[in-house]
Protein backbone atom coordinates (compact mmCIF):
# COMPACT_ATOMS: atom_id res chain seq x y z
CA UNK A 1 0.00 0.00 0.00
CA UNK A 2 1.71 3.14 -1.21
CA UNK A 3 -0.75 5.69 0.16
CA UNK A 4 -1.42 6.89 -3.38
CA UNK A 5 -4.10 4.94 -5.24
CA UNK A 6 -4.70 5.18 -8.97
CA UNK A 7 -7.61 3.81 -10.96
CA UNK A 8 -7.98 2.17 -13.35
CA UNK A 9 -4.76 0.18 -13.56
CA UNK A 10 -5.25 -0.44 -17.27
CA UNK A 11 -7.27 1.48 -19.85
CA UNK A 12 -7.79 0.92 -23.55
CA UNK A 13 -9.57 3.67 -25.40
CA UNK A 14 -10.28 4.71 -28.94
CA UNK A 15 -9.21 8.04 -30.33
CA UNK A 16 -12.75 9.44 -30.09
CA UNK A 17 -13.44 8.30 -26.54
CA UNK A 18 -13.54 10.38 -23.38
CA UNK A 19 -12.19 8.82 -20.20
CA UNK A 20 -10.78 9.93 -16.85
CA UNK A 21 -7.93 8.74 -14.68
CA UNK A 22 -8.33 9.03 -10.94
CA UNK A 23 -5.76 9.48 -8.19
CA UNK A 24 -6.35 9.57 -4.46
CA UNK A 25 -3.79 10.13 -1.73
CA UNK A 26 -4.27 9.26 1.93
CA UNK A 27 -1.08 10.92 3.19
CA UNK A 28 -2.33 14.41 3.99
CA UNK A 29 -0.03 15.89 1.35
CA UNK A 30 -0.52 19.34 -0.12
CA UNK A 31 0.93 18.81 -3.61
CA UNK A 32 -0.11 16.37 -6.31
CA UNK A 33 1.47 15.63 -9.68
CA UNK A 34 0.71 13.89 -12.97
CA UNK A 35 3.63 12.28 -14.80
CA UNK A 36 3.80 10.53 -18.16
CA UNK A 37 6.22 7.65 -18.68
CA UNK A 38 6.78 6.52 -22.26
CA UNK A 39 8.99 3.62 -23.25
CA UNK A 40 12.72 4.41 -23.17
CA UNK A 41 12.11 7.98 -22.00
CA UNK A 42 12.54 9.70 -18.63
CA UNK A 43 9.51 10.58 -16.57
CA UNK A 44 7.84 13.72 -17.91
CA UNK A 45 6.02 16.07 -15.57
CA UNK A 46 2.61 17.06 -16.91
CA UNK A 47 0.82 19.00 -14.17
CA UNK A 48 1.37 20.12 -10.60
CA UNK A 49 -1.28 21.12 -8.09
CA UNK A 50 -0.48 22.75 -4.77
CA UNK A 51 -3.32 23.20 -2.30
CA UNK A 52 -5.79 22.50 -5.12
CA UNK A 53 -4.40 25.27 -7.33
CA UNK A 54 -2.68 24.38 -10.59
CA UNK A 55 0.89 25.54 -10.28
CA UNK A 56 2.37 24.44 -13.57
CA UNK A 57 1.27 23.15 -16.93
CA UNK A 58 4.26 21.78 -18.76
CA UNK A 59 3.08 22.56 -22.30
CA UNK A 60 0.72 19.61 -22.26
CA UNK A 61 -1.77 19.35 -25.16
CA UNK A 62 -5.32 20.41 -24.34
CA UNK A 63 -6.61 16.89 -24.94
CA UNK A 64 -5.31 16.27 -21.39
CA UNK A 65 -7.33 18.18 -18.80
CA UNK A 66 -6.50 17.93 -15.08
CA UNK A 67 -8.86 18.53 -12.21
CA UNK A 68 -8.12 18.77 -8.50
CA UNK A 69 -11.38 19.10 -6.53
CA UNK A 70 -9.63 18.82 -3.15
CA UNK A 71 -6.16 18.12 -1.81
CA UNK A 72 -6.75 14.36 -1.72
CA UNK A 73 -8.05 13.79 -5.24
CA UNK A 74 -6.64 14.41 -8.68
CA UNK A 75 -8.16 13.55 -12.04
CA UNK A 76 -6.83 13.54 -15.57
CA UNK A 77 -9.59 13.85 -18.16
CA UNK A 78 -8.75 12.46 -21.59
CA UNK A 79 -10.42 13.19 -24.92
CA UNK A 80 -9.53 12.69 -28.58
CA UNK A 81 -6.18 11.15 -27.73
CA UNK A 82 -3.60 9.99 -30.24
CA UNK A 83 -1.86 6.60 -30.36
CA UNK A 84 1.40 8.31 -29.28
CA UNK A 85 -0.33 9.19 -26.00
CA UNK A 86 -0.16 5.51 -25.04
CA UNK A 87 2.01 5.39 -21.93
CA UNK A 88 2.05 4.79 -18.20
CA UNK A 89 0.48 7.73 -16.36
CA UNK A 90 1.71 8.12 -12.82
CA UNK A 91 0.27 10.20 -10.03
CA UNK A 92 2.44 11.38 -7.16
CA UNK A 93 2.09 13.50 -4.06
CA UNK A 94 4.44 15.32 -1.71
CA UNK A 95 4.00 17.15 1.56
CA UNK A 96 4.87 20.49 0.02
CA UNK A 97 5.34 21.72 -3.52
CA UNK A 98 9.00 22.08 -4.59
CA UNK A 99 10.30 21.16 -1.16
CA UNK A 100 11.44 17.78 -2.40
CA UNK A 101 14.50 17.87 -0.20
CA UNK A 102 12.38 17.45 2.93
CA UNK A 103 9.26 15.98 1.33
CA UNK A 104 9.97 13.34 -1.30
CA UNK A 105 7.49 12.16 -3.88
CA UNK A 106 5.15 9.25 -3.19
CA UNK A 107 3.96 7.56 -6.36
CA UNK A 108 0.91 5.50 -7.22
CA UNK A 109 1.09 2.32 -9.29
CA UNK A 110 0.11 4.09 -12.46
CA UNK A 111 -2.49 3.64 -15.17
CA UNK A 112 -1.30 1.84 -18.30
CA UNK A 113 -3.09 3.63 -21.13
CA UNK A 114 -3.38 2.25 -24.65
CA UNK A 115 -4.93 4.43 -27.36
CA UNK A 116 -6.13 2.49 -30.38
CA UNK B 1 19.97 22.55 -18.28
CA UNK B 2 20.80 19.57 -16.12
CA UNK B 3 21.44 16.29 -17.86
CA UNK B 4 21.12 13.04 -15.94
CA UNK B 5 22.83 9.98 -17.37
CA UNK B 6 22.49 6.48 -15.96
CA UNK B 7 24.63 3.46 -16.70
CA UNK B 8 24.22 0.77 -17.59
CA UNK B 9 20.85 0.97 -19.34
CA UNK B 10 20.32 -2.75 -18.91
CA UNK B 11 21.95 -5.19 -16.53
CA UNK B 12 21.42 -8.92 -16.11
CA UNK B 13 23.18 -10.68 -13.25
CA UNK B 14 23.05 -13.89 -11.26
CA UNK B 15 21.54 -14.14 -7.82
CA UNK B 16 24.05 -13.22 -5.15
CA UNK B 17 26.12 -10.86 -7.29
CA UNK B 18 27.11 -7.37 -6.15
CA UNK B 19 25.34 -4.80 -8.32
CA UNK B 20 26.36 -1.22 -9.07
CA UNK B 21 24.24 1.31 -10.95
CA UNK B 22 25.69 4.72 -11.76
CA UNK B 23 24.20 8.17 -12.17
CA UNK B 24 26.00 11.27 -13.45
CA UNK B 25 24.62 14.77 -13.69
CA UNK B 26 25.89 18.01 -15.14
CA UNK B 27 25.03 20.88 -12.78
CA UNK B 28 24.98 21.54 -9.06
CA UNK B 29 22.20 19.86 -7.15
CA UNK B 30 20.51 20.14 -3.78
CA UNK B 31 19.46 16.48 -3.59
CA UNK B 32 19.53 13.24 -5.52
CA UNK B 33 16.85 10.57 -5.37
CA UNK B 34 17.06 6.88 -6.18
CA UNK B 35 13.72 5.36 -7.14
CA UNK B 36 12.69 1.75 -7.79
CA UNK B 37 10.01 0.84 -10.30
CA UNK B 38 8.68 -2.70 -10.33
CA UNK B 39 7.15 -4.32 -13.42
CA UNK B 40 3.67 -3.41 -12.18
CA UNK B 41 4.55 0.26 -12.64
CA UNK B 42 4.51 1.70 -9.15
CA UNK B 43 7.54 3.72 -8.05
CA UNK B 44 9.05 3.61 -4.59
CA UNK B 45 11.55 6.10 -3.26
CA UNK B 46 14.65 4.28 -2.01
CA UNK B 47 16.99 7.08 -0.99
CA UNK B 48 17.31 10.83 -0.92
CA UNK B 49 20.92 12.03 -0.72
CA UNK B 50 22.62 15.37 -0.53
CA UNK B 51 26.03 14.10 0.60
CA UNK B 52 27.91 11.02 1.70
CA UNK B 53 26.37 7.62 1.93
CA UNK B 54 23.15 5.95 3.04
CA UNK B 55 22.39 2.31 3.70
CA UNK B 56 19.10 0.47 3.97
CA UNK B 57 19.24 -3.30 4.24
CA UNK B 58 21.15 -4.62 1.22
CA UNK B 59 21.01 -1.27 -0.59
CA UNK B 60 23.72 1.36 -0.37
CA UNK B 61 23.69 4.75 -2.07
CA UNK B 62 26.66 7.06 -2.33
CA UNK B 63 27.13 10.50 -3.78
CA UNK B 64 30.22 12.48 -4.73
CA UNK B 65 29.20 16.11 -5.05
CA UNK B 66 32.53 17.25 -6.53
CA UNK B 67 32.43 14.61 -9.26
CA UNK B 68 28.66 15.00 -9.80
CA UNK B 69 28.19 11.27 -9.51
CA UNK B 70 26.12 8.84 -7.47
CA UNK B 71 26.07 5.06 -7.26
CA UNK B 72 23.46 2.61 -6.05
CA UNK B 73 24.81 -0.72 -4.84
CA UNK B 74 22.90 -3.91 -4.12
CA UNK B 75 24.66 -6.57 -2.09
CA UNK B 76 23.69 -10.26 -2.27
CA UNK B 77 21.26 -9.55 -5.10
CA UNK B 78 18.01 -11.49 -5.30
CA UNK B 79 15.45 -12.00 -8.10
CA UNK B 80 13.02 -9.74 -6.22
CA UNK B 81 15.49 -6.89 -6.81
CA UNK B 82 14.60 -7.08 -10.51
CA UNK B 83 13.20 -3.66 -11.37
CA UNK B 84 13.98 -0.39 -13.08
CA UNK B 85 16.13 1.91 -10.95
CA UNK B 86 15.72 5.61 -11.65
CA UNK B 87 17.98 8.46 -10.61
CA UNK B 88 16.41 11.92 -10.21
CA UNK B 89 18.17 15.13 -9.23
CA UNK B 90 16.89 18.33 -7.70
CA UNK B 91 18.86 21.18 -9.22
CA UNK B 92 19.47 24.58 -7.77
CA UNK B 93 16.80 26.56 -9.63
CA UNK B 94 16.63 24.10 -12.49
CA UNK B 95 14.65 21.09 -13.56
CA UNK B 96 10.95 20.95 -14.29
CA UNK B 97 8.17 22.54 -12.28
CA UNK B 98 8.71 19.81 -9.71
CA UNK B 99 12.40 20.80 -9.65
CA UNK B 100 13.42 17.32 -10.75
CA UNK B 101 15.33 15.96 -13.71
CA UNK B 102 14.99 12.22 -14.21
CA UNK B 103 17.33 9.69 -15.77
CA UNK B 104 16.01 7.11 -18.21
CA UNK B 105 16.47 4.32 -15.69
CA UNK B 106 18.50 1.12 -15.44
CA UNK B 107 16.63 -2.10 -16.11
CA UNK B 108 17.99 -4.74 -13.73
CA UNK B 109 17.24 -8.46 -14.01
CA UNK B 110 18.53 -10.85 -11.37
CA UNK B 111 18.39 -14.46 -12.49
CA UNK B 112 18.04 -17.29 -9.94
Amino acid sequence: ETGVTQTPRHLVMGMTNKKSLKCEQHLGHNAMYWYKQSAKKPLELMFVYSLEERVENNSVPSRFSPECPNSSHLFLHLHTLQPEDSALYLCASSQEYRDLVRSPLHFGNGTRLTVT
Amino acid sequence: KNEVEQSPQNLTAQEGEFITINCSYSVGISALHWLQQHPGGGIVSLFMLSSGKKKHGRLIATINIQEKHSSLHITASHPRDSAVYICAVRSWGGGGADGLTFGKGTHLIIQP
Side-chain angles (χ1 to χ4, degrees):
Chain A
E1 178 57 51
T2 64
V4 179
T5 304
Q6 288 187 243
T7 54
R9 291 296 309 275
H10 301 273
L11 178 62
V12 179
M13 60 186 289
M15 293 167 62
T16 58
N17 291 158
K18 290 184 180 181
K19 296 286 185 183
S20 295
L21 310 185
K22 180 182 176 181
C23 176
E24 184 174 0
Q25 58 98 357
H26 312 277
L27 302 169
H29 288 170
N30 292 325
M32 295 187 77
Y33 310 75
W34 278 118
Y35 286 90
K36 176 183 179 183
Q37 187 179 37
S38 304
K40 308 294 185 186
K41 289 186 176 181
L43 281 161
E44 302 171 53
L45 179 67
M46 300 176 73
F47 301 103
V48 183
Y49 277 82
S50 178
L51 296 171
E52 303 153 43
E53 297 290 328
R54 190 189 308 183
V55 178
E56 293 285 347
N57 173 353
N58 260 16
S59 301
V60 178
S62 60
R63 57 186 184 267
F64 296 91
S65 174
E67 178 190 2
C68 187
N70 54 63
S71 60
S72 298
H73 294 85
L74 186 64
F75 295 91
L76 188 62
H77 303 299
L78 316 171
H79 64 97
T80 59
L81 295 191
Q82 305 298 312
E84 60 264 28
D85 297 321
S86 298
L88 181 68
Y89 289 84
L90 288 154
C91 174
S93 69
S94 66
Q95 184 62 52
E96 300 295 338
Y97 167 57
R98 287 201 80 114
D99 187 11
L100 294 176
V101 175
R102 285 185 290 269
S103 59
L105 291 169
H106 294 251
F107 286 87
N109 287 327
T111 294
R112 176 71 63 186
L113 174 66
T114 303
V115 181
T116 61
Chain B
K1 180 184 175 185
N2 201 2
E3 302 288 340
V4 178
E5 297 290 335
Q6 288 187 236
S7 63
Q9 291 185 21
N10 297 284
L11 177 59
T12 300
Q14 295 299 122
E15 183 173 357
E17 286 189 38
F18 181 81
I19 303 299
T20 296
I21 298 170
N22 297 298
C23 176
S24 297
Y25 50 92
S26 56
V27 301
I29 66 169
S30 58
L32 181 144
H33 300 257
W34 279 105
L35 310 172
Q36 180 191 54
Q37 185 174 30
H38 279 284
I43 294 177
V44 175
S45 179
L46 297 175
F47 295 104
M48 184 171 59
L49 293 166
S50 55
S51 65
K53 175 181 175 178
K54 286 190 176 181
K55 184 175 188 292
H56 185 256
R58 295 179 294 106
L59 300 177
I60 304 166
T62 64
I63 188 168
N64 185 317
I65 297 295
Q66 287 74 29
E67 294 186 4
K68 296 185 173 60
H69 180 268
S70 175
S71 292
L72 176 68
H73 305 286
I74 305 175
T75 61
S77 59
H78 189 276
R80 64 175 174 266
D81 297 324
S82 299
V84 176
Y85 292 85
I86 300 170
C87 172
V89 301
R90 171 79 159 92
S91 314
W92 292 111
D98 55 354
L100 291 174
T101 304
F102 292 87
K104 291 183 179 180
T106 294
H107 189 189
L108 174 66
I109 297 173
I110 304 296
Q111 296 178 333

